[in-house]
Amino acid sequence: MLRRRRLSLHPAQAVVVGFSTAILAGTLLLLLPVSSADDRPTTFVDALFTATSAVCVTGLVVVDTPTHWSPFGQVVILVLIQLGGLGIMIFASLIGLVLARRLSVRARLNTAAEAKSVGFDDVRGLVRGIVLISFAIEAAVFVLLFPRLLFGYGYGVGEAAWQAVFHAVSSFNNAGFSLYSDNLVRFVGDPFICLPIAAAVILGGLGFPVILQLRKEFRHPLHWSMNTKLVIWATLLLLTAGTVYITAIEWENPDTLGALDPATKVLAGFFQSVQTRTAGFNSIDVAALHDETWLGMDVLMFIGGGPAGTAGGIKVTTFAVLLFIILTELRGEGAVNIFGKRLSRAVHRQAITVALIAVAAVMTGVVVLMLITGLDLDRILFEAVSAFGTVGLSTGITAQLPDAAKVVLVVLMFLGRLGPLTLGTAIALRERRILYEYPKERPAIG
C-alpha cells in the first residue's frame, strides 16, 4: 500500500517531497556536534535555516559560515548546495542511471517536471547534459580562482583549492554562500575573482534548457526557442539596467562605492547587479546602500533568473510575458506575439498566476515579519524578497531575527525555490476537468 501511494505521487508533489527530504537530512547532519567548529551548539532553527538556505540555493545565513561550521559542516553545506542546484529529481535520476542504467516512467516524469522539459523521450540525455554542464562550468571557475587565490593572496595549496571549489559550486548554483566573514568585500577591486564568479552566476541563472540549446545552436540564433530568446534578451537588459542603476545611485556613497576608483566602481556595480540574479554574494556593504538602491534591487531580485536553472524569483520569462501582455493591450491587438510567434493563452494565465501568488507570498511574509520584529519596512521587504527570490543578499538583520521570523524566511525560501505554481500543483490532488462553460460577461476594468 505504501509503495503504491509513493508511486502515485504527482511529479510536482515528488519534487516537493524530494526537496523537503533533503532539507530534513541536511538539518539533522548540521545538528551533529562534528558539524560545528569547536563543538559550538547549533539550535534546531539555525540548522533548519542553513539547510533550507543551502538546498534552496539562497545564501542567507544566521551564523557565520567560516567560523561557526567545521570543515565537515562546510562540506555538508556544499553538498546541499549542489543537490539543490542540480535538483533533487535530477540527482535521483542520475543515481538511477548509474545503478540501473535506465529510468522508470515515474522517474522520467519527475525529472521532466523539475527540469521544465518539453520532451519526454530523451530524459536520460537531459540528465547527463545537465550534470556534465554543471560540473564543467564549476571546474572552469575553479581553474580560474585557484591560481589567483594561491599566488595572489598567499593561501596554501589545500586552502586555496578548497576555497576555489566551494565558491565555484556556490556561484554556479546561485547560492551565495562564502567562506569569508565579509563575503567577497575583500575582493571588490579584483576582476580575477569577481568576474569568474559573476560569469558562473549568470550562466547558472540562464537555466539548463537555455544552456543546453546554446551549446547545440549557439551560432544559429534563428533556431533558438522563444524561451531561449526571452531569457537571453531579458537577462542582458536587466543586467545592464541594474549595473547603471546601482552604480549611479551609489557613486558618491562613501560607505559603498564612493571611496573606490572609477574602474572599481563600475566593476562593483556590475558585480552587485549580477548578484540580484538570485546569487547572494556581495563585494560592497549591502547594509550601507541607499534606500533607493535597496528598492531597485528588490525589483531585480523579485524577477530573478531563467526557469529550470539555479535561479529563483518569478523568472525573467514570466516578467517578459507580462510585459508583452501589457504592450499588446496598450496597442489594442488581439493576440500576444513574441519574436514572430503567438503566445498561448494558457501561458497568459500561468504568468499572471505566478506573479500574483509571488506578490501575495512576499507581502504576507513582510506583514508577518513586521509584526514579529517591529523592524522598518525597507529592511524587512529586502529580506523577504531576498528569501523568496532565493538571492541571499541581506541588510544585516537576518542573524539577529527571532526564531519565529527565521521560520518565516525558511517558508519563503522553500516557496521561492520550488515556485508558487509548482507548489500549488503539488498540493492539488487531481486536475479538475470542466465539461461545460458558463456564458461570457465582462466586468468594468480600470
Side-chain angles (χ1 to χ4, degrees):
M1 180 66 69
L2 290 177
R3 179 177 177 81
R4 187 177 305 151
R5 178 66 176 174
R6 180 177 65 84
L7 291 177
S8 65
L9 283 178
H10 187 281
Q13 289 177 320
V15 173
V16 173
V17 171
F19 271 84
S20 301
T21 303
I23 290 172
L24 177 59
T27 301
L28 296 177
L29 287 173
L30 292 177
L31 283 173
L32 297 174
V34 70
S35 293
S36 58
D38 302 324
D39 294 328
R40 296 179 183 178
T42 303
T43 67
F44 176 80
V45 172
D46 286 351
L48 173 65
F49 189 99
T50 304
T52 304
S53 184
V55 173
C56 296
V57 290
T58 304
L60 284 174
V61 296
V62 288
V63 294
D64 188 36
T65 304
T67 60
H68 180 86
W69 302 111
S70 67
F72 176 82
Q74 293 173 7
V75 169
V76 170
I77 292 173
L78 187 66
V79 171
L80 293 177
I81 290 172
Q82 189 71 81
L83 286 176
L86 282 176
I88 304 302
M89 295 301 105
I90 293 173
F91 179 78
S93 297
L94 174 65
I95 298 300
L97 287 174
V98 171
L99 297 180
R101 298 187 179 277
R102 64 185 179 85
L103 290 175
S104 66
V105 172
R106 177 59 58 181
R108 292 162 69 189
L109 280 170
N110 293 341
T111 303
E114 185 171 16
K116 302 290 191 300
S117 173
V118 295
F120 176 74
D121 296 330
D122 192 29
V123 173
R124 292 175 58 180
L126 174 69
V127 171
R128 288 171 177 162
I130 289 175
V131 173
L132 289 176
I133 287 175
S134 298
F135 290 163
I137 294 175
E138 290 168 359
V141 176
F142 167 82
V143 169
L144 294 173
L145 293 180
F146 174 67
R148 182 59 177 170
L149 292 171
L150 180 64
F151 301 113
Y153 293 91
Y155 292 112
V157 174
E159 187 176 6
W162 169 237
Q163 291 179 1
V165 168
F166 190 96
H167 291 91
V169 174
S170 183
S171 58
F172 175 71
N173 290 287
N174 280 214
F177 277 89
S178 175
L179 293 180
Y180 307 106
S181 296
D182 63 354
N183 206 278
L184 298 180
V185 173
R186 67 186 65 187
F187 304 116
V188 62
D190 191 342
F192 298 101
I193 296 292
C194 291
L195 292 182
I197 289 178
V201 170
I202 294 171
L203 289 173
L206 291 178
F208 292 118
V210 174
I211 297 176
L212 289 171
Q213 183 166 44
L214 290 179
R215 186 182 66 169
K216 296 179 180 178
E217 300 179 310
F218 180 77
R219 297 182 179 180
H220 304 89
L222 293 178
H223 297 165
W224 293 355
S225 67
M226 181 190 295
N227 179 75
T228 297
K229 293 177 181 178
L230 283 176
V231 170
I232 294 297
W233 284 110
T235 297
L236 292 174
L237 174 63
L238 293 174
L239 282 177
T240 303
T243 300
V244 173
Y245 183 85
I246 295 172
T247 305
I249 293 181
E250 296 297 323
W251 190 269
E252 299 294 339
N253 186 344
D255 297 321
T256 56
L257 301 183
L260 306 175
D261 61 83
T264 304
K265 289 181 180 181
V266 175
L267 174 62
F270 169 73
F271 186 81
Q272 218 50 64
S273 175
V274 170
Q275 303 317 307
T276 61
R277 310 300 304 149
T278 78
F281 294 111
N282 61 282
S283 62
I284 55 178
D285 185 5
V286 176
L289 294 171
H290 290 308
D291 293 351
E292 297 84 355
T293 307
W294 283 346
L295 184 58
M297 293 173 70
D298 286 340
V299 175
L300 294 172
M301 292 189 298
F302 185 77
I303 295 173
T310 60
I314 63 171
K315 306 298 187 296
V316 292
T317 46
T318 303
F319 171 75
V321 166
L322 292 175
L323 182 61
F324 276 103
I325 289 175
I326 293 172
L327 293 176
T328 300
E329 288 299 317
L330 293 178
R331 294 169 180 166
E333 300 174 355
V336 179
N337 299 311
I338 304 177
F339 300 124
K341 299 290 182 64
R342 182 169 57 86
L343 196 66
S344 168
R345 292 191 178 274
V347 178
H348 300 193
R349 297 193 301 270
Q350 292 172 356
I352 294 171
T353 300
V354 167
L356 291 180
I357 291 179
V359 170
V362 170
M363 290 301 100
T364 301
V366 167
V367 171
V368 175
L369 287 171
M370 291 185 69
L371 291 174
I372 294 174
T373 65
L375 294 172
D376 295 337
L377 173 61
D378 50 2
R379 291 181 181 271
I380 288 296
L381 178 61
F382 190 94
E383 222 74 12
V385 174
S386 180
F388 179 81
T390 67
V391 181
L393 293 172
S394 174
T395 60
I397 65 173
T398 306
Q400 286 74 44
L401 293 176
D403 286 349
K406 293 176 183 177
V407 172
V408 173
L409 292 180
V410 165
V411 174
L412 286 175
M413 287 189 287
F414 191 78
L415 284 172
R417 180 66 181 102
L418 296 181
L421 197 58
T422 300
L423 194 61
T425 304
I427 295 174
L429 297 179
R430 60 181 180 179
E431 296 180 357
R432 294 181 58 194
R433 295 185 178 181
I434 305 299
L435 302 180
Y436 56 88
E437 291 185 355
Y438 291 106
K440 291 182 179 180
E441 187 174 349
R442 292 186 59 177
I445 301 296

